[in-house]
Amino acid sequence: LSNKNQKCIDACNRCAQACYECFKACLAESDVAKRNSCLSLLIECAGMCQMSAAHMAMEGQFAMDHCKVCAALCEKCAQECEMFKDAHCSECATICDDCATECKNMAGM
């Protein structure tokens, strides 16, 4: 692919996948009731990442705006995941932080 935003698109796709996988893993945890905010953010973050990747792929006129929101959402999701010490949440937090960095770079923040 020759999209100038490919690095950010790839980061968004990785993040969406990590969020969905973390969501599924969190549902199986014994303290799932304590994870309501995290579960909600995981789904919101995954959706925003997918939407941002799509807008960048088609070089949409609001792609930078999507990436700004995506960066903020990824940072918030990472903070929430960091509250839980299991491996899937730690990995997801790292991937969300990486995506936030790529989205900030893409959006010129």
Side-chain angles (χ1 to χ4, degrees), residues 9-107:
I9 291 168
D10 292 343
C12 285
N13 287 330
R14 272 192 312 278
C15 191
Q17 180 180 350
C19 287
Y20 285 131
E21 289 176 1
C22 190
F23 177 84
K24 176 83 167 137
C26 281
L27 289 176
E29 295 292 342
S30 60
D31 63 346
V32 68
K34 294 181 180 178
R35 297 174 185 247
N36 284 340
S37 179
C38 188
L39 289 166
S40 178
L41 274 168
L42 286 165
I43 294 300
E44 190 174 355
C45 186
M48 189 67 200
C49 286
Q50 289 176 304
M51 191 181 315
S52 295
H55 280 265
M56 285 183 284
M58 65 180 166
E59 298 182 4
Q61 61 181 328
F62 294 103
M64 285 184 23
D65 296 309
H66 277 273
C67 284
K68 288 177 186 176
V69 174
C70 192
L73 192 48
C74 286
E75 286 177 340
K76 179 69 176 166
C77 192
Q79 290 171 357
E80 193 71 28
C81 281
E82 287 168 355
M83 293 173 35
F84 301 98
K85 301 304 175 199
D86 32 71
H88 59 86
C89 284
S90 295
E91 183 180 352
C92 188
T94 298
I95 293 170
C96 284
D97 280 333
D98 292 345
C99 187
T101 298
E102 288 302 326
C103 283
K104 285 179 182 177
N105 290 341
M106 184 276 179

